[in-house]
Structures are given as structure tokens and as C-alpha cells.
């Protein structure tokens, strides 16, 4: 018997709502609240009829008093933040004021600086502890499941993990020359930034897309992948004891990279406001407005994703390697919940993480990244809710 307030009504929220309804023993009541209420109503109308009671509300999640009023009125047991990273801190403030548990899928990023890091949210740790409430940060797939995979590897297969390579492969094809699989603004800010990886206690910075490798992904095939900075590197570097190196690679097709380079070259990916016909506009926000909405890619995306982690370390004095990954089919996701696999692989873990907090399995006052909790019940739920994982104890390593 639990109530969840879901903030946001985009691609990821749509999957969270679907999955909460599939898990109606835990989520008896949900409220979908977002800036554009008609999108919340549309989601509700698609799903009405199940056992979970759905209501909707309008909220500006940049506004703490509005959020507090909504939380006081709806009285949720948890707030699931699947709006944008810009809203993380205001939603955490509202959770503190109302003593409500919190979960999100992406770390805070200020609107005017394309720099995401956990510092801002980790600063809430003591206040959440004092208030006796739990915040789970970054509970999508990556970050999210990648942290759970790391905790699972550590718990069951290693005494020490020395290296982690996170491999995010999207072998999907949506038929457009250029589109992003989640919010274009957030996606382009992420991939056009400098890359970096963690090695021997330091960050090593690279040019964007400077480091390229080729990997043969099961059920997808051979793909080019590029080293990016990614938020879970920051928390895993602290939480996985003995770690010496962590890298994150994401696959990109040639067409995507060619278009991105061109857009960068002409200034369309800039977040610096410019004057246009007497009005200030941010080029990247304008670009977002003309690109396909990721939520509409579902029906036209075919192919599979394969996301996972390769670990190297020692157990009982012997060197061990271990690869754990999930393969997800875009069209299967679309048939089940009407979304493509990127929204699906993010929304399913968000629902599971919230269920972990609600059931008490992941409830401890403070602010935590997912690898700080017991991974076992979460791993079981991944199999149950559509993201089964596979293991390989002799994987091909990335050089
Ligand atoms: P969308 O752009 O599809 O949806 C975002 C939603 O947030 C929209 O409904 C939007 O409302 C709403 N929103 C934006 N600003 C506000 C505001 N001030 N107040 C209330 N609502 C607001 O994004 P996605 O669903 O693709 O992504 C959601 C989150 O998931 C992002 O933070 C993204 O970074 C994260 N993500 C995480 C991944 C992971 O693996 N960890 C992978 C992919 C995404 P409106 O419709 O009015 O604009």
C-alpha cells in the first residue's frame, strides 16, 4: 500500500508509470505531475483500468513552494524524479521540507554550465540523515543498473575489483539521419563535453570522442564505441574499494557523429544565449525544438541495446574477469509499453529502486548512490520486470 509521486511526463516517465501499474501490489496509488498537465493526462488515459489508482497534477518543479504544496496535498511515500537534471535540487529541497523519500535517474546539472557532478546532491547527505529520509541517486540504467552490477560483482565474485569498463551499446536504428534517444538537450550536453576516466586516483581528461575502440556486442554485432565522462564514474571511484581504473564507452554511428560535428561547428550546440530578432535564445534549446521528440521514436526504432560492465580483479588470490550485461529489444519494449529501449532501460530500474525503498530493503536515512545498497533483491527484480541479465566469466576485454 504505497503512494508515489512521479515528476515528469516524458519518455522515461511513461515507462515508470507503466511499470508501477505492473507492480500494483507495491504501487497502489501514483500521481503523475509535470509542467504540461495534458501530457500527464494522456499517460493516465492510456493506462486507466489497472489496479493502480492514477491521478495527475500540474507542477513547476523549479518552484519549491509549488512542489511542497503538491507533496503536502498528495502525501506520497516517495517522489520519483524523472523530470530533468535541472530540477534535482528543488525537488530534494521539497522532499526535505515534507520528509519524503526521493529517487532520481540523473545527477544535478546547472542550466548555465554543462557540468554534471554529484557534489551538489551529496551535500544534502546530513540534512537527509537528520530528517530520517532516503535519497537514491542515479537509478536508471547508466547510472543505475551499472552501479547495482558493480555492487553485485563485488559481493559475489571479487575480493577486490581493480578495473571496470562500462559498455553502453545502442544498436537501434530509428531511420532518422539525426535524433537523440533521450532528452536532446541533456544528451548533446553529455556527448559534446570532454571525455574523462578515472585512473590511479586521478581523473584523466580527453578531447570529446578522442578515444575510440571497437567491440563485438552479443546480439548486436561489432560497433565503434567512444570514451565519455559519465556520472557513475564519480561515485564508483569512491564506493568500490581498491579500484584502479574505471572507463565508460558508448557506441555512436557515423551519421550521428557527422551531424553532431556539423551542428557543433555552426554553433548550434552552444548553451550561451544569443540575441535573435530581439529575443534571447539558447542555440541548443532551439535545436531541441526542431529535433524529433525521443518519446516518438518508439514505433520506428528497430534493433537492440546491450549495456553492461566488465570487471577485472582478484578473488582468493587469483585474477578474475566478469562481464554482466542486459540485452534489450527496441520493438519488444514498444509492444509492451509503447516506448523505445532507452526510455525502457531507464524507467524499469527507476520503478524497481522506488519499490526497494518502499519495501524497506533500500531504506536508510541519507543520500546514496545505488551501489551502496544490497544489490541482490534489485537483481532479482530486473529479471522479473523485463531487464534480464546475462553473465560471462571469460569476456573479451577492452584494451
Ligand atoms: P523528456 O524530455 O522526455 O521528459 C522530461 C519531462 O520533464 C517532460 O515531461 C517535461 O515537461 C518535464 N519537465 C521539465 N522541466 C520541468 C519543470 N520545471 N517542472 C515540471 N516538469 C518539468 O526526458 P526523458 O524522459 O528522456 O528523461 C528524463 C530523465 O531521465 C532526464 O533527467 C534524463 O537525463 C534521465 N535519463 C537517465 C538515463 C539513465 O540511464 N540513468 C538514461 C536516459 C535519461 P514538458 O513536457 O512540459 O517539457
Amino acid at each position: 500500500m504505497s503512494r508515489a509521486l512521479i515528476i515528469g511526463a516524458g519518455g522515461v516517465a511513461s515507462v515508470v508509470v507503466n511499470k508501477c501499474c505492473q507492480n500494483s501490489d507495491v504501487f497502489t496509488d501514483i500521481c503523475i505531475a509535470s509542467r504540461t498537465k495534458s501530457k500527464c493526462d494522456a499517460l493516465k488515459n492510456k493506462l486507466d483500468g489497472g489496479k493502480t489508482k492514477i491521478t495527475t497534477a500540474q507542477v513547476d518543479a523549479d518552484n519549491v513552494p509549488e512542489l511542497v504544496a503538491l507533496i503536502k496535498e498528495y502525501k506520497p511515500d516517495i517522489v520519483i524524479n524523472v523530470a530533468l537534471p535541472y530540477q534535482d535540487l528543488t525537488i530534494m529541497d521539497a522532499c526535505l521540507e515534507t520528509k519524503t523519500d526521493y529517487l532520481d535517474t540523473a545527477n544535478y546539472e546547472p542550466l548555465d554550465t554543462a557540468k554534471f557532478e554529484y557534489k551538489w546532491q551529496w551535500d544534502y547527505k546530513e540534512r537527509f540523515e537528520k530528517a530520517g529520509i532516503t535519497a537514491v541517486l542515479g537509478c536508471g540504467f547508466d547510472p543505475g543498473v551499472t552501479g547495482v552490477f558493480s555492487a553485485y560483482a563485488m559481493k559475489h565474485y571479487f575480493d577486490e575489483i581493480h578495473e571496470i569498463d562500462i559498455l553502453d551499446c545502442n544498436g537501434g536504428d530509428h531511420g532518422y539521419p539525426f535524433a537523440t534517444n533521450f532528452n536532446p538537450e541533456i544528451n548533446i550536453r553529455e556527448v559534446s563535453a570532454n571525455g574523462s576516466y578515472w585512473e590511479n586516483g586521478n581523473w584523466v581528461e580527453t578531447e570529446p570522442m578522442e578515444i575510440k575502440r571497437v567491440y563485438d556486442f552479443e546480439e548486436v554485432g561489432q560497433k565503434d564505441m567512444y570514451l565519455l565522462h559519465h556520472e557513475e564514474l564519480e561515485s564508483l571511484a569512491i564506493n568500490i574499494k581498491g579500484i584502479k581504473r574505471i572507463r565508460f564507452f558508448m557506441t555512436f554511428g557515423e551519421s550521428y557523429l557527422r551531424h553532431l560535428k556539423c551542428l557543433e561547428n555552426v554553433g548550434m550546440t552552444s548553451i550561451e544565449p544569443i540575441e535573435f530578432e530581439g529575443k534571447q535564445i539558447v542555440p541548443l534549446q532551439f535545436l531541441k525544438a526542431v529535433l524529433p521528440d525521443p518519446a516518438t521514436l518508439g514505433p520506428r526504432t528497430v534493433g537492440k541495446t546491450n549495456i553492461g560492465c566488465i570487471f577485472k580483479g582478484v578473488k582468493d588470490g587469483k585474477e578474475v574477469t566478469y562481464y554482466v550485461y542486459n540485452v534489450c529489444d527496441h520493438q519488444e519494449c514498444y509492444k509492451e509499453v509503447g516506448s523505445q529501449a532507452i526510455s525502457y532501460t531507464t524507467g524499469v530500474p527507476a520503478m524497481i529502486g522506488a519499490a526497494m525503498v518502499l519495501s524497506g530493503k533500500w531504506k536508510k536515512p541519507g543520500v546514496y548512490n545505488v551501489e551502496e545498497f544490497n544489490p541482490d533483491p534489485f537483481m532479482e527484480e530486473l529479471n522479473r520486470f523485463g531487464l534480464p541479465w546475462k553473465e560471462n566469466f571469460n569476456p573479451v576485454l577492452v584494451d
Side-chain angles (χ1 to χ4, degrees):
M1 287 284 288
S2 303
R3 296 164 78 79
L5 172 63
I6 298 163
I7 303 188
V12 176
S14 160
V15 177
V16 174
V17 170
N18 264 277
K19 287 289 170 178
C20 287
C21 292
Q22 284 181 19
N23 198 2
S24 57
D25 289 345
V26 174
F27 297 92
T28 48
D29 297 81
I30 58 173
C31 173
I32 317 164
S34 190
R35 188 167 50 187
T36 313
K37 185 165 176 288
S38 57
K39 288 195 190 172
C40 307
D41 293 333
L43 272 180
K44 172 181 148 75
N45 293 338
K46 265 206 288 188
L47 279 157
D48 250 359
K51 278 202 268 170
T52 303
K53 184 162 178 269
I54 308 176
T55 50
T56 62
Q58 199 277 330
V59 75
D60 176 3
D62 291 322
N63 182 317
V64 179
E66 258 188 47
L67 286 165
V68 168
L70 175 62
I71 295 173
K72 281 189 173 158
E73 188 198 326
Y74 187 66
K75 298 188 178 51
D77 301 294
I78 191 165
V79 174
I80 303 174
N81 168 15
V82 277
L84 297 178
Y86 317 129
Q87 280 84 49
D88 288 3
L89 301 188
T90 43
I91 299 176
M92 287 178 83
D93 284 332
C95 284
L96 262 180
E97 203 173 321
T98 55
K99 294 199 172 20
T100 312
D101 292 332
Y102 169 90
L103 176 139
D104 68 30
T105 65
N107 68 10
Y108 175 68
E109 183 172 343
L111 196 53
D112 55 357
T113 337
K115 183 164 174 54
F116 50 89
E117 54 180 319
Y118 278 118
K119 182 186 156 303
W120 288 286
Q121 291 180 275
W122 284 343
D123 280 350
Y124 282 69
K125 195 172 181 65
E126 239 179 67
R127 280 174 283 163
F128 269 64
E129 274 166 11
K130 277 199 189 121
I133 53 172
T134 305
V136 180
L137 306 184
C139 198
F141 205 103
D142 46 339
V145 177
T146 49
V148 175
F149 282 170
S150 300
Y152 187 77
M154 194 67 221
K155 182 171 174 182
H156 297 284
Y157 299 122
F158 290 90
D159 293 326
E160 266 183 37
I161 294 176
H162 295 154
E163 294 179 14
I164 307 176
D165 278 331
I166 300 168
L167 310 189
D168 178 331
C169 164
N170 180 6
D173 182 4
H174 43 58
Y176 288 117
F178 186 82
T180 64
N181 296 294
F182 67 97
N183 185 284
E185 192 183 329
I186 305 296
N187 181 247
I188 291 172
R189 281 164 72 121
E190 177 176 293
V191 302
S192 54
N194 280 349
S196 76
Y197 61 98
W198 176 262
E199 191 166 49
N200 299 323
N202 295 305
W203 289 107
V204 182
E205 196 156 311
T206 71
E207 291 295 312
M209 311 289 172
E210 183 187 329
I211 297 182
K212 173 184 167 185
R213 297 285 185 272
V214 178
Y215 200 81
D216 196 0
F217 290 92
E218 191 186 304
E219 295 191 49
V220 176
Q222 199 160 294
K223 290 275 169 196
D224 294 343
M225 59 182 193
Y226 297 82
L227 185 141
L228 297 184
H229 176 64
H230 221 247
E231 55 198 66
E232 64 265 55
L233 304 192
E234 199 189 345
S235 68
L236 290 172
I238 293 171
N239 293 325
I240 302 296
K241 304 292 171 229
I243 190 80
K244 294 185 174 129
R245 187 180 74 185
I246 318 177
R247 302 181 298 183
F248 180 97
F249 291 93
M250 190 177 272
T251 63
F252 294 103
E254 260 180 58
S255 173
Y256 179 94
L257 291 178
R258 210 174 40 249
H259 282 77
L260 183 64
K261 191 85 233 150
C262 173
L263 291 165
E264 267 171 6
N265 285 344
V266 299
M268 281 306 296
T269 60
S270 167
I271 61 167
E272 290 300 320
I274 56 152
E275 182 92 6
F276 179 71
E277 295 187 344
K279 197 171 178 265
Q280 292 269 308
I281 63 163
V282 173
L284 181 57
Q285 286 172 2
F286 177 75
L287 176 62
K288 173 183 185 278
V290 297
L291 285 175
D293 177 352
T296 64
L297 298 178
R300 45 186 301 147
T301 306
V302 293
K304 293 177 183 177
T305 62
N306 176 330
I307 319 176
C309 307
I310 301 177
F311 301 93
K312 246 177 97 176
V314 287
K315 176 82 177 172
D316 301 328
K318 286 199 201 94
E319 282 218 346
V320 178
T321 57
Y322 171 62
Y323 185 16
V324 54
Y325 57 94
N326 161 263
V327 176
C328 191
D329 185 304
H330 286 284
Q331 278 300 304
E332 292 296 320
C333 297
Y334 186 69
K335 268 186 239 149
E336 186 197 321
V337 298
S339 306
Q340 34 85 354
I342 303 300
S343 304
Y344 190 91
T345 53
T346 310
V348 172
M351 179 284 287
I352 296 174
M356 291 289 117
V357 176
L358 293 170
S359 67
K361 292 181 183 127
W362 279 20
K363 176 120 181 102
K364 51 179 176 179
V367 174
Y368 298 97
N369 293 87
V370 291
E371 64 272 14
E372 296 176 85
F373 296 100
N374 178 8
D376 294 352
F378 194 106
M379 292 290 274
E380 274 170 33
E381 294 299 78
L382 284 173
N383 286 329
R384 191 171 147 223
F385 283 104
L387 293 177
W389 38 278
K390 293 185 188 173
E391 299 178 304
N392 178 347
F393 292 89
N394 189 20
V396 174
L397 303 178
V398 182
D399 64 26

